[in-house]
Amino acid sequence: MANSETCCSTQLIDGDGTFNVSGVENFMKEVKLAECGLSYAVVSIMGPQSSGKSTLLNHLFGTNFREMDAFKGRSQTTKGIWMARCAGIEPCTLVMDLEGTDGRERGEDDTAFEKQSALFALAVSDIVLINMWCHDIGREQAANKPLLKTVFQVMMRLFSPRKTTLLFVIRDKTRTPLENLEPVLREDIQKIWDSVPKPQAHKETPLSEFFNVEVVALSSYEEKEEQFKDQVASLRQRFHHSIAPGGLAGDRRGVVPASGFSFSSEHIWKVIKENKDLDLPAHKVMVATVRCEEIANEKYVSFVANEDWCQLEEAVQSGPIPGFGKKLSSLLDICFSEYDAEATYFDEGVRSSKQKQLQEKLFQLVQPAFQSALGHIRSGTLDKFKEAFDKTLKGGEGFSVAANNCIGSCMVQFDEACTDVVIEQTNWDTSKVREKLLRDIDAHVATVRATKISELTSSYEEKLKQALSGPVEALLDGANSDTWPSIRNLFRRETESAVSGFSAALTGFDMDEETRQKIILSLEDYARGLVEGKAREEAGRVLIRMKDRFTMLFSHDSDSMPRVWTGKEDIRAITKTARSSSLKLLSVMAAIRLDDDDTDNIEKVLAVALVDSSPNSNATRSMTMVDPLASSSWEQVSSSKTLITPVQCKSLWRQFKTETEYSVSQAISAQEANKRNNNWLPPPWAIVALVILGFNEFMTLLRNPLYLGVIFVGFLLIKALWVQLDVSGEFRNGALPGIISLSSKFIPTIMNLMKKLAEEGQNPAANNPQRTPSKSSYNEGHAVSSSASSNLTRLDNGTEYASPLKDE
């Protein structure tokens, strides 16, 4: 056993197949393996002799396995199986360096040890490195495929399933990308697994249940030493914490504790040594596959770097390119002809298969550029269609005719442009792009059609609104028995007119009859909704309308003149007429009656329940029948056509009567006041008493006519005072205020009246000084009476009024 500061190593199995029990036990004590429990990993490497396995392990894990001296020639360096602990990697990782396969020292037929050591490595290791040359990929023998097949068979038969990571290390990597090498290896491993006879328990078990397959490639150690070391250092990082979940070691089912590693390994090797049935098949080399694939990859890389292709790919991103299809077809022809020239001597089947793969890769490369070219053609054609279609519509051509003509011409242009981008080597179909263009055009046409129809519909809706809103509102405002028949006639006339024009306008849009009828029906529904909406709006103001109508009929006569309550008017009849008219308005606004079959008895029900009722009849009816207004719906009227329910009508009528009773009471008060002001005669019995008791006085007046003159003058004076004081006007505000006002104005009015009489008496005397005294006195008396009469006449006509305050 060799020791160093950083690692320990020992020979686990010698070249004769003897297990080194004591060496392993000492090794376990030296590295304190028993203390690790389950926290350890085992890594082994297998591969051809002199393939650099020991060199790789020393650089990868810091071990000190013996390496081959290249200057002494290629010979066997590692005999048997050696084991060492990795330096600087956690958790504790053990590495086994296996004797190389295909060594000349053991000979061609003595391959039993190779099989046994490989099987042992797979049995005890978490990670198995399979070292192989890059140029050997595709060669069955060099890639250890038969060995793996045999190992799979024996492992399933001898051991319980355990998931092991197979890390294929490809040495001396060439220019062939790893992405192209890895699928070949994975495919070969899967084929081996599928071909292996399996026990009944594992017939359906996939390869992934036993192995995690990983592939890594390293540069040449001799030619690119620095690059090799960098790649190895990167690979080393993957072995840190390899047993953690998701680590490189993968599944750890059935792992043996570290203290039992020596016994377990010894027992496994014993079972393997006793197996005599292992036999390796011969390997076949697939040089043609590897070489043709290398040529195909070279041509692909050459095409990608081609300057003409790069320019073409860049230019097609910004816009259409004339002759795009011919240019790209020429570049592909050159690439395929170069491949055929170099691969002509290889197996025809392999050559054709790899050529097909090259074509698929190149077609996949150029397809985005082809799609971009088609996209430019499609977008350009769509823009041309939009411009032409809009111009045609503005020219006054019918919608459907314009759409069909523009679609036909644009699709012809598209088909001609597509022939210029088609690649000869492909059979790519442009029908999907053509269908996409047609869908875009149809979508644009549909959008324009919807816009035009929407504008047309809005135009006719506005016409209907102007034709219906104002007249319907006016008809509902003057509600009477002919209101709803008039509204029906108006609605039918205007709707038929609008539908006729609208239907004629829709004929140019080339739509099916169902859609056309649906649009026309929507216009009719709009008209109906407009009338119903206006009716509902007016129904919300019905109380205001009822009060306005009552006020108009109650406060104005038949000539629409303001009514003066003189005492001769029949207020009860006027009130009943006004309320009946308001009730008529309420019955008209209670329901919508747009259809000819809309009949109801709302007016009769309201009249019986609200107007034709007296206290006695109400009491009798309450005992014999239910209130007809105690309901939320009208008979023969659907809820959708109900504007005001019976209950609401009753509430509105109660509120209406409450708010109009004040006007009625004011009219009654005014009429009674007027009667009081105009009735100044004494009662009849008083007149009879005056006639009987005043008979003597009356006879005295007849016997002495002078008394009649005095009485006449007194009558004139009293009448003048009556007019001057405005006695009837003063007492309108009440008796006490009238008396107080008259007492303050009485004396000034008497003084003013006497002054005027004196002035009137002096004027005739100054104008007639020559008259005789008798005649003068007669004229004076006549003047006085005339003046008084004149003053009275002027006061009665209201042309003159001498206020006492003004004269003062």
Side-chain angles (χ1 to χ4, degrees):
M1 181 174 66
N3 297 321
S4 69
E5 295 179 358
T6 57
C7 84
C8 299
S9 62
T10 185
Q11 188 176 34
L12 184 63
I13 300 172
D14 62 16
D16 298 330
T18 303
F19 192 89
N20 186 6
V21 178
S22 59
V24 172
E25 291 179 352
N26 292 333
F27 172 82
M28 291 179 61
K29 293 178 182 179
E30 182 70 20
V31 302
K32 301 178 180 180
L33 184 61
E35 299 176 4
C36 295
L38 297 176
S39 182
Y40 74 103
V42 180
V43 180
S44 60
I45 187 169
M46 58 184 293
Q49 179 177 298
S50 303
S51 61
K53 299 187 299 300
S54 301
T55 303
L56 173 61
L57 294 180
N58 291 339
H59 285 84
L60 184 59
F61 300 110
T63 56
N64 56 2
F65 294 122
R66 179 185 173 189
E67 299 179 7
M68 182 189 72
D69 188 355
F71 294 97
K72 296 182 179 180
R74 308 185 69 84
S75 60
Q76 188 180 47
T77 304
T78 302
K79 294 183 179 181
I81 301 176
W82 285 76
M83 183 171 62
R85 177 180 178 177
C86 300
I89 293 182
E90 292 295 334
C92 177
T93 302
L94 306 180
V95 181
M96 295 190 302
D97 187 9
L98 274 66
E99 179 178 323
T101 61
D102 296 335
R104 62 182 178 83
E105 286 78 6
R106 290 191 178 269
E108 183 177 355
D109 298 329
D110 189 10
T111 58
F113 183 82
E114 296 174 3
K115 302 171 188 177
Q116 294 168 354
S117 60
L119 184 56
F120 176 79
L122 286 173
V124 300
S125 301
D126 299 296
I127 304 169
V128 177
L129 304 179
I130 301 179
N131 199 49
M132 59 189 306
W133 298 109
C134 180
H135 57 76
D136 283 342
I137 294 178
R139 297 170 52 203
E140 290 191 25
Q141 188 64 33
N144 298 312
K145 295 180 193 176
L147 178 62
L148 286 175
K149 183 175 182 180
T150 304
V151 168
F152 289 163
Q153 294 174 341
V154 178
M155 182 177 183
M156 285 189 298
R157 183 166 53 88
L158 297 180
F159 308 108
S160 60
R162 180 185 179 188
K163 201 165 188 177
T164 305
T165 298
L166 297 181
L167 179 58
F168 288 82
V169 181
I170 303 173
R171 305 293 296 276
D172 294 354
K173 177 180 174 299
T174 61
R175 291 183 299 175
T176 303
L178 178 61
E179 292 79 5
N180 297 332
L181 297 175
E182 184 174 349
V184 177
L185 280 177
R186 290 185 179 274
E187 184 180 358
D188 291 342
I189 294 171
Q190 186 62 45
K191 287 181 179 179
I192 294 173
W193 178 259
D194 294 339
S195 64
V196 169
K198 304 178 181 65
Q200 187 65 32
H202 298 295
K203 278 189 176 296
E204 302 299 329
T205 305
L207 174 66
S208 58
E209 187 70 18
F210 291 89
F211 300 99
N212 288 327
V213 179
E214 301 284 344
V215 180
V216 67
L218 301 176
S219 300
S220 173
Y221 173 71
E222 296 179 356
E223 298 176 2
K224 301 177 182 179
E225 183 176 355
E226 294 301 325
Q227 188 175 357
F228 172 83
K229 291 181 178 180
D230 292 339
Q231 293 171 349
V232 168
S234 176
L235 179 60
R236 175 183 174 89
Q237 298 300 320
R238 300 183 63 182
F239 288 87
H240 285 276
H241 307 289
S242 58
I243 64 173
L248 192 60
D251 186 274
R252 299 263 295 166
R253 288 177 297 179
V255 62
V256 178
S259 59
F261 177 79
S262 176
F263 175 79
S264 175
S265 300
E266 181 181 6
H267 178 72
I268 289 173
W269 179 250
K270 180 180 179 182
V271 173
I272 292 174
K273 286 286 287 182
E274 292 176 352
N275 183 27
K276 304 298 182 180
D277 299 330
L278 294 177
D279 185 18
L280 290 176
H283 291 276
K284 294 183 180 179
V285 180
M286 303 171 65
V287 177
T289 301
V290 176
R291 184 58 187 147
C292 288
E293 187 166 353
E294 289 178 353
I295 296 173
N297 290 333
E298 290 174 1
K299 298 309 170 186
Y300 178 80
V301 173
S302 176
F303 182 87
V304 172
N306 187 282
E307 184 177 355
D308 294 337
W309 158 246
C310 294
Q311 294 177 355
L312 193 64
E313 183 183 25
E314 182 178 358
V316 79
Q317 301 300 324
S318 58
I321 300 175
F324 173 83
K326 293 182 179 179
K327 294 178 181 178
L328 191 54
S329 297
S330 176
L331 293 175
L332 291 173
D333 277 338
I334 295 174
C335 182
F336 294 148
S337 60
E338 290 178 353
Y339 171 84
D340 290 337
E342 295 188 26
T344 184
Y345 297 106
F346 292 100
D347 181 78
E348 182 178 359
V350 175
R351 183 176 72 246
S352 300
S353 174
K354 297 303 176 182
Q355 185 184 43
K356 185 177 180 180
Q357 293 178 7
L358 175 62
Q359 288 178 346
E360 292 176 353
K361 291 177 64 176
L362 289 177
F363 291 163
Q364 187 176 4
L365 176 67
V366 303
Q367 190 173 25
F370 174 75
Q371 294 295 335
S372 297
L374 283 180
H376 292 309
I377 296 175
R378 183 188 62 80
S379 59
T381 304
L382 182 60
D383 292 339
K384 291 179 181 178
F385 169 80
K386 291 180 180 178
E387 182 179 355
F389 186 46
D390 186 56
K391 185 177 180 181
T392 306
L393 289 178
K394 289 181 179 179
E397 192 170 352
F399 186 89
S400 298
V401 176
N404 293 332
N405 292 339
C406 292
I407 290 175
S409 61
C410 288
M411 294 312 299
V412 170
Q413 296 177 12
F414 175 80
D415 293 337
E416 292 176 353
C418 283
T419 57
D420 188 52
V421 300
V422 172
I423 302 173
E424 297 177 359
Q425 293 83 358
T426 66
N427 57 351
W428 290 335
D429 189 9
T430 60
S431 61
K432 291 185 178 180
V433 180
R434 194 177 194 276
E435 292 173 359
K436 177 67 166 60
L437 174 61
L438 281 174
R439 289 196 299 271
D440 292 342
I441 291 177
D442 290 341
H444 179 71
V445 171
T447 301
V448 176
R449 179 189 291 110
T451 302
K452 295 293 183 183
I453 292 177
S454 177
E455 294 174 355
L456 188 64
T457 304
S458 299
S459 173
Y460 277 90
E461 287 178 351
E462 185 63 27
K463 291 179 181 178
L464 281 173
K465 185 176 181 180
Q466 294 177 359
L468 293 176
S469 294
V472 169
E473 184 175 355
L475 289 171
L476 291 175
D477 188 25
N480 52 48
S481 300
D482 296 330
T483 295
W484 280 109
S486 300
I487 291 176
R488 280 198 297 270
N489 293 333
L490 174 67
F491 167 72
R492 188 179 297 110
R493 182 177 66 254
E494 296 297 337
T495 303
E496 289 176 355
S497 175
V499 167
S500 176
F502 187 59
S503 179
L506 289 177
T507 55
F509 287 93
D510 191 22
M511 61 179 64
D512 58 273
E513 185 63 23
E514 183 180 357
T515 304
R516 181 171 170 274
Q517 291 299 327
K518 185 177 180 180
I519 297 176
I520 293 175
L521 184 60
S522 68
L523 182 65
E524 295 176 350
D525 292 340
Y526 174 81
R528 178 176 289 272
L530 191 66
V531 175
E532 292 181 355
K534 182 58 65 176
R536 295 184 188 279
E537 181 181 343
E538 292 300 317
R541 298 197 292 263
V542 66
L543 181 60
I544 298 174
R545 300 290 191 192
M546 290 169 63
K547 292 191 293 184
D548 291 344
R549 176 168 291 193
F550 177 85
T551 302
M552 173 61 73
L553 296 177
F554 185 77
S555 301
H556 296 77
D557 57 18
S558 58
D559 297 328
S560 298
M561 297 297 293
R563 197 185 299 275
V564 178
W565 304 105
T566 62
K568 300 178 182 179
E569 297 83 3
D570 188 355
I571 294 180
R572 181 179 298 275
I574 294 173
T575 301
K576 185 175 181 180
T577 302
R579 285 180 175 174
S580 297
S581 181
S582 298
L583 187 68
K584 179 68 176 179
L585 174 63
L586 180 61
S587 67
V588 170
M589 298 300 300
I592 297 172
R593 305 171 180 90
L594 268 183
D595 299 321
D596 293 333
D597 57 350
D598 287 338
T599 58
D600 55 72
N601 59 348
I602 295 178
E603 183 177 1
K604 182 178 179 181
V605 172
L606 291 178
V608 171
L610 301 177
V611 176
D612 299 336
S613 60
S614 62
N616 294 332
S617 62
N618 285 341
T620 303
R621 186 171 63 225
S622 64
M623 296 172 61
T624 58
M625 60 180 294
V626 181
D627 186 359
L629 297 183
S631 174
S632 61
S633 61
W634 300 102
E635 292 183 4
Q636 301 177 350
V637 179
S638 64
S639 59
S640 61
K641 294 184 178 181
T642 301
L643 298 178
I644 307 173
T645 63
V647 174
Q648 292 173 338
C649 285
K650 188 173 183 179
S651 175
L652 286 171
W653 185 255
R654 186 183 299 112
Q655 186 177 354
F656 164 75
K657 288 186 64 177
T658 301
E659 295 183 8
T660 56
E661 282 178 355
Y662 177 75
S663 298
V664 178
S665 62
Q666 286 291 98
I668 294 174
S669 300
Q671 194 178 58
E672 292 176 353
N674 193 297
K675 288 180 180 180
R676 287 194 303 269
N677 293 335
N678 294 331
N679 189 13
W680 294 99
L681 293 176
W685 62 268
I687 296 175
V688 173
L690 287 174
V691 171
I692 296 173
L693 297 176
F695 179 76
N696 295 330
E697 288 76 5
F698 180 69
M699 296 304 294
T700 302
L701 291 175
L702 292 178
R703 294 188 187 101
N704 192 354
L706 182 61
Y707 287 154
L708 291 175
V710 174
I711 292 172
F712 179 70
V713 172
F715 170 74
L716 293 177
L717 290 174
I718 292 173
K719 185 175 182 180
L721 285 173
W722 185 273
V723 173
Q724 288 279 351
L725 293 175
D726 190 18
V727 176
S728 61
E730 295 293 343
F731 277 97
R732 287 175 185 167
N733 299 324
L736 182 60
I739 293 172
I740 295 174
S741 177
L742 290 176
S743 63
S744 63
K745 294 166 58 177
F746 181 75
I747 294 177
T749 303
I750 292 292
M751 296 299 294
N752 186 41
L753 186 59
M754 296 301 292
K755 182 179 179 180
K756 285 186 176 291
L757 290 174
E759 291 176 355
E760 290 291 335
Q762 292 175 0
N763 288 337
N767 293 333
N768 300 303
Q770 302 300 327
R771 293 182 181 180
T772 59
S774 61
K775 191 172 184 177
S776 174
S777 63
Y778 169 78
N779 291 337
E780 183 176 353
H782 180 71
V784 170
S785 62
S786 301
S787 175
S789 179
S790 175
N791 288 338
L792 179 60
T793 303
R794 285 195 295 269
L795 288 170
D796 285 341
N797 294 335
T799 57
E800 291 186 12
Y801 174 77
S803 173
L805 297 177
K806 182 184 291 187
D807 292 339
E808 291 177 359

